[in-house]
Structure formats: structure tokens, C-alpha cells
Amino acid sequence: MLLPRKLLPWPRPRRSRDQTLSLRLFRASYLSDPDDDDDPPFTRIPNNPPRPPAPRPPPPKPKAQTTKIIPDEPARSDLPFDFRYSYSETDPSWRPIGFREPTRFSPFGPGRLDRPWDGVAARVDEEVRAGDARVSTREEVLGETLSEAEVAELVEMYRHSDCSRQINLGKGGVTHNMLDDIHNHWRRAEAVRMKCLGVATLDMDNICFHLEDKTGGKIIYRSINILILYRGRNYDPKQRPVIPLMLWKPLAPIYPRIVQNVAEGLTFEQTKEMRNRGLNSPPLMKLTRNGVYVNVVERLREAFKTLEVVRLDCSYTGTSDCKKIGVKLRLAGN
């Protein structure tokens, strides 16, 4: 089949041997001339120096050994007090009437502590409970009393809200694991700032007592709900006490009711009448969730001088916090 004329290849003129050789020589001389001012049709790639050899990869890190669930030997602590979840919100004299979980499950983990767990606390042995020796040791760690200038310097360093050495104390009060957090801060700082919120602030004296008693430090500053806990002059982080951590929060035991339905010394009808009078009276204060309740007890005592029944608005605190507030106020009234 014949192709149309437009698609036929155009015959190229043949060059002689001399013309081809001269053309090659011209191209070679044109490309090899470094001083040529003409713009070439492409950019030349410079001859890059050889790259240095790549650094050797670091040796592989050894795999972290998985910790055993049950250690070979249980931890032993020389602290002469019973280990509880909360030290400031529980009273050792209260005896529970029931438990919400089996007492054989210790929150410290199976085989991790040499003290038995009875559902409330890990009791200390009588041999370890040596109060006189511990008091002398605490006095040695604290050393000489701080001067007013030293106290003012520490307070100015740790009292501000942007302090990095701060521990928040909530409605749980002074908990067991908080003791370890305080000693961790004391490794690099002389003092730690404590910010207290919630139900525990109803009794700040109780919080101060347990912080000093359980950690061995000293409170050098107290302003409303802000505390500064000093570690002592002779504190050595390498000789800090062994504090085994709680792996979970144990369920609270069941205690007998402290606030009874019928007030002591009154009949049921009198109690009901006083309760109705309190519900219909205007609230003295409105308590918020995780608030600061430092002046609640004082205001209640002032109000009881003129009133027989006082009402507190706890609608925003929650049911559990409302019960704890009632118990603390009942004990404060005694």
C-alpha cells in the first residue's frame, strides 16, 4: 500500500567524510573553550569533591529488662508508722464495719511489702516503731533553726504561683504516694510548695501536722491554703527513707454513720422541725467544688452565737464531698 506524499520521509542530504570530521572538531573546540561568552543550552555539573564516609551507626541499646510482678524479696521500710492511703482524712481510732474489696489484695502489690494489709492500713511491727530514735533523727536532719533572712529568701523563691516545685493537695489530703513526691522534689530543691484545695482545707492544722510528722520536714510559710515545706539543713537525698508506692487506690471501707438521722438529745419530731427550719433559711455560705474552706469553721462558730440552725449550700460540691464536709464539721463541733 502506498503512503500519501505528506507522510513520506524527506530525504536527508548526505555529508562527505571531510565535512563530518570538521563538524566534530568544531563541536569539540566549542565545548572545551572555558572563556566562551556564549550561553550554553545547559548548565554544567561541577565536579563535586568526594563525600566523607558515613559515620558508623551507634551500637544497639540493650533491651530493658521487664520488672517482675512479684520481686524476689519484699521491700522493707524503717518508717515507724502504719501505711495508709490517706493520713489526714482517716482516723486510726475508727474501726470499719465492712469492706468493699477482699482484704487479701494489698494495694502495694503481691509480695512487694513486708507488712500485712488488713483492708485499712499496712501495720508496722513493734520492733520498727521507735519514736524516740526517730525524733532525734529528725532534729539532726533539720539542723540549726533558720534565721529570718534565710526564711524570707526561701519564701520569696517558692511562694509564687509559677514555682516549678509545687505539689497539689486535693480532697484526698496527705496521701501515701505524696510522701515520695515530696522527697523527689527535695533531691534538687530545699523546699516544696504545697497548694491545698478541697475538703482537706477545713482543717489546715491537721494537714500541717501530718506533713511534718510523715516527711520529717518543717513548714516555714503558711498563707490561707499555701504551704512551704522545708527539708532541713542536713538533708541527704542518698539517705532518704524507703517509701514503697501504692499501685492503686484501695476502696474505702464501710464505717458506721457519724451524722445520725435523729440528733442526739432530740426526738424525731424535734429533729424534723429543725431540719425544715434549716432548709428554709438562707445559706450562710456557698461552697464550690475543690474550693478553699479555710474560714468555714470560724464563720460557723460566729453564726452559732446568734442562730440555732445554720445552712451551707453544698449543691456544687458533689455527694461524696458533701458527706466528708458533714463529718469534718461534726468532729470540729466536738
Side-chain angles (χ1 to χ4, degrees), residues 151-152 154-156 158-160 169 191-196 199-212 218-230 292-298 301:
V151 172
L154 289 174
V155 169
E156 183 63 25
Y158 294 101
R159 72 181 180 86
H160 299 284
L169 190 147
V192 60
R193 182 177 188 263
M194 309 292 297
K195 183 178 181 181
C196 309
V199 183
T201 57
L202 282 170
D203 192 357
M204 291 295 297
D205 295 336
N206 186 33
I207 293 178
C208 296
F209 168 76
H210 284 287
L211 285 176
E212 292 183 347
K218 183 179 180 180
I219 293 177
I220 59 176
Y221 177 78
R222 173 177 172 180
S223 176
I224 309 178
N225 65 323
I226 303 298
L227 306 174
I228 295 180
L229 188 62
Y230 177 61
V292 180
Y293 313 141
V294 176
N295 59 344
V296 172
V297 177
E298 295 181 1
R301 288 174 179 172

Side-chain angles (χ1 to χ4, degrees), residues 53-72:
R56 295 182 179 180
K61 296 182 180 180
K63 296 182 179 179
Q65 298 180 357
T66 57
T67 57
K68 298 181 180 180
I69 298 178
I70 302 178
D72 298 334

Side-chain angles (χ1 to χ4, degrees), residues 3-64:
L3 297 174
R5 179 179 291 271
K6 294 181 179 180
L7 300 180
L8 290 176
W10 190 262
R12 299 178 60 185
R14 297 183 178 180
R15 299 173 182 174
S16 62
R17 185 176 181 183
D18 297 338
Q19 291 177 352
T20 304
L21 182 60
S22 62
L23 183 60
R24 290 180 179 178
L25 291 174
F26 175 76
R27 289 180 178 177
S29 62
Y30 176 78
L31 295 176
S32 62
D33 188 6
D35 300 332
D36 192 3
D37 296 333
D38 295 338
D39 187 14
F42 54 87
T43 304
R44 298 179 184 179
I45 301 177
N47 295 328
N48 296 330
R51 296 181 178 179
R56 295 182 179 180
K61 296 182 180 180
K63 296 182 179 179

Side-chain angles (χ1 to χ4, degrees), residues 257-276:
R257 296 191 58 167
I258 296 181
V259 181
Q260 303 294 335
N261 292 331
V262 180
E264 185 178 357
L266 300 177
T267 62
F268 178 77
E269 296 297 334
Q270 293 174 344
T271 303
K272 184 177 180 181
E273 181 184 358
M274 294 188 64
R275 185 180 293 116
N276 293 334

Side-chain angles (χ1 to χ4, degrees), residues 228-240:
I228 295 180
L229 188 62
Y230 177 61
R231 67 181 184 180
R233 292 183 182 271
N234 304 324
Y235 179 82
D236 187 4
K238 296 181 180 179
Q239 298 180 359
R240 56 178 288 182

Side-chain angles (χ1 to χ4, degrees), residues 12-232:
R12 299 178 60 185
R14 297 183 178 180
R15 299 173 182 174
S16 62
R17 185 176 181 183
D18 297 338
Q19 291 177 352
T20 304
L21 182 60
S22 62
L23 183 60
R24 290 180 179 178
L25 291 174
F26 175 76
R27 289 180 178 177
S29 62
Y30 176 78
L31 295 176
S32 62
D33 188 6
D35 300 332
D36 192 3
D37 296 333
D38 295 338
D39 187 14
F42 54 87
T43 304
R44 298 179 184 179
I45 301 177
N47 295 328
N48 296 330
R51 296 181 178 179
R56 295 182 179 180
K61 296 182 180 180
K63 296 182 179 179
Q65 298 180 357
T66 57
T67 57
K68 298 181 180 180
I69 298 178
I70 302 178
D72 298 334
E73 295 181 0
R76 179 176 179 81
S77 179
D78 296 333
L79 294 176
F81 53 84
D82 300 339
F83 291 163
R84 299 172 175 271
Y85 172 74
S86 177
Y87 297 103
S88 61
E89 303 306 304
T90 56
D91 191 349
S93 61
W94 297 349
R95 300 308 305 171
I97 59 176
F99 298 95
R100 293 183 172 90
E101 61 182 358
T103 58
R104 65 179 182 274
F105 296 136
S106 173
F108 295 94
R112 289 177 173 268
L113 187 63
D114 61 343
R115 302 183 183 185
W117 177 261
D118 60 358
V120 179
R123 306 294 177 181
V124 62
D125 298 336
E126 295 299 331
E127 299 177 357
V128 182
R129 195 188 298 273
D132 297 338
R134 181 167 176 264
V135 170
S136 61
T137 304
R138 179 175 182 269
E139 297 297 334
E140 293 175 359
V141 172
L142 290 177
E144 299 179 0
T145 307
L146 294 175
S147 62
E148 295 182 0
E150 292 174 336
V151 172
E153 183 180 357
L154 289 174
V155 169
E156 183 63 25
M157 187 182 304
Y158 294 101
R159 72 181 180 86
H160 299 284
S161 59
D162 58 349
C163 176
S164 60
R165 302 296 176 183
Q166 174 176 311
I167 296 178
N168 296 325
L169 190 147
K171 63 181 180 180
V174 182
T175 58
H176 178 77
N177 289 354
M178 187 180 295
L179 306 181
D180 185 73
D181 295 339
I182 292 173
H183 284 281
N184 290 338
H185 281 285
W186 279 350
R187 292 177 57 186
R188 297 178 176 85
E190 294 184 83
V192 60
R193 182 177 188 263
M194 309 292 297
K195 183 178 181 181
C196 309
L197 297 173
V199 183
T201 57
L202 282 170
D203 192 357
M204 291 295 297
D205 295 336
N206 186 33
I207 293 178
C208 296
F209 168 76
H210 284 287
L211 285 176
E212 292 183 347
D213 181 65
K214 300 303 185 294
T215 61
K218 183 179 180 180
I219 293 177
I220 59 176
Y221 177 78
R222 173 177 172 180
S223 176
I224 309 178
N225 65 323
I226 303 298
L227 306 174
I228 295 180
L229 188 62
Y230 177 61
R231 67 181 184 180

